[in-house]
Amino acid sequence: MVLYDATTENGLRNFARDLTDTDTTTYTDAKLNAAINRYYDLATTDILESMDEWDFQGEIATASLVAGQQEYVLPVDILKIKRIECMIDGVKWYNVRFMDINEIDIATDTTSITSNFNVSDPRADLMDRSLMLYPIPTANVTGGIRIWYEKLETLLSADADEPNFSRAFHKLLAIGAAIDYFKKYVGQNDNATKLADARQEYQLVTEKMKAMYRRKNQDRAYTMTPYDAGYDYGNY
């Protein structure tokens, strides 16, 4: 469902105004777009919470390692990190394991970091909008770090823009925008009853959406491997 459709009226703004019995004067495009995008954010987080291993808005970013530089800025549209790899020795890719600075009991000067961390087992401490690498790179490596992540959605602005999730649940955004309107004018035109109905429908559709995304990868074939391949488990 696009943001607005002047021909078929099958758009998010169209549906929201139909639910609220409003027009472009009583529920302006600017306010309606803002409300729709607020619920787009909520829908995105609901989907991410429901997913297992299927990537909703997966992206891969690369950056170059710089000798002596420990801190690297994360992509501006990052929402959730899935994996980081780096070629910290300039030869081989290594999976970067996450850690917190409080987990180590050594000093964090360059000499101590070099002595206590290995290039074949790099670690990363995530800060606000960046990550700190351990050990610190000692050589320039073009494209030497890769980050797999879930990215923030692009907010809807043009009439032809469409939410980046299953179309069956797009109406959630219009229902959410209607909820905001009914809350603001709850004392008018039986809006209290309409608000309760809209909230109930929003909850119902949200649960259906989350259930669908939880099952997105259910057909994957899983195998179980014994913890100790050399142990005789017998009939246990």
Side-chain angles (χ1 to χ4, degrees):
M1 185 180 289
V2 296
L3 182 60
Y4 178 74
D5 191 324
T7 303
T8 67
E9 297 194 358
N10 186 30
L12 293 169
R13 287 206 307 259
N14 306 82
F15 186 33
R17 288 192 176 113
D18 185 51
L19 291 173
T20 55
D21 194 24
T22 55
D23 54 31
T24 56
T25 300
T26 52
Y27 207 160
T28 65
D29 286 354
K31 290 184 177 180
L32 191 46
N33 286 355
I36 287 170
N37 279 311
R38 283 195 294 272
Y39 284 92
Y40 192 9
D41 285 339
L42 290 175
T44 298
T45 56
D46 281 335
I47 290 170
L48 289 175
E49 288 176 358
S50 303
M51 292 180 345
D52 185 7
E53 296 173 351
W54 184 75
D55 295 331
F56 168 50
Q57 294 190 125
E59 189 66 78
I60 302 175
T62 61
S64 296
L65 296 177
V66 179
Q69 179 178 317
Q70 185 179 23
E71 184 174 9
Y72 294 85
V73 178
L74 297 170
V76 295
D77 61 348
I78 199 165
L79 183 60
K80 176 184 176 182
I81 295 177
K82 295 179 65 67
R83 179 184 177 92
I84 298 176
E85 291 181 355
C86 69
M87 191 185 292
I88 204 163
D89 61 0
V91 178
K92 184 178 179 181
W93 287 103
Y94 297 99
N95 178 42
V96 178
R97 293 196 288 165
F98 300 113
M99 71 167 199
D100 187 85
I101 191 66
N102 290 328
E103 297 175 9
I104 60 176
D105 56 3
I106 62 170
T108 57
D109 60 280
T110 302
T111 301
S112 297
I113 291 174
T114 301
S115 300
N116 289 276
F117 290 91
N118 196 305
V119 295
S120 63
D121 186 23
R123 308 295 178 90
D125 182 23
L126 298 178
M127 310 297 283
D128 181 22
R129 299 298 304 175
S130 61
L131 62 86
M132 307 292 286
L133 277 180
Y134 296 81
I136 301 171
T138 58
N140 297 329
V141 183
T142 302
I145 184 168
R146 300 188 294 211
I147 302 174
W148 284 257
Y149 67 100
E150 303 288 351
K151 67 178 182 178
L152 291 165
E153 74 280 1
T154 301
L155 298 182
L156 309 176
S157 58
D159 289 353
D161 287 351
E162 190 170 356
N164 188 30
F165 60 90
S166 179
R167 186 176 60 188
F169 307 107
H170 285 182
K171 68 177 184 177
L172 263 179
L173 310 187
I175 297 171
I179 289 174
D180 282 1
Y181 180 86
F182 293 141
K183 283 194 297 184
K184 185 174 182 178
Y185 301 104
V186 69
Q188 302 176 13
N189 303 323
D190 198 28
N191 282 347
T193 300
K194 296 175 183 178
L195 175 60
D197 291 343
R199 281 174 167 166
Q200 183 176 11
E201 184 174 7
Y202 185 88
Q203 183 65 29
L204 177 63
V205 177
T206 297
E207 290 305 317
K208 288 184 177 181
M209 179 182 71
K210 291 165 69 174
M212 189 277 286
Y213 277 98
R214 277 195 295 268
R215 296 193 299 267
K216 199 75 175 180
N217 67 336
Q218 67 178 356
D219 294 332
R220 176 178 173 181
Y222 290 89
T223 59
M224 297 181 65
T225 303
Y227 177 74
D228 185 351
Y231 181 76
D232 183 5
Y233 287 84
N235 294 321
Y236 292 102

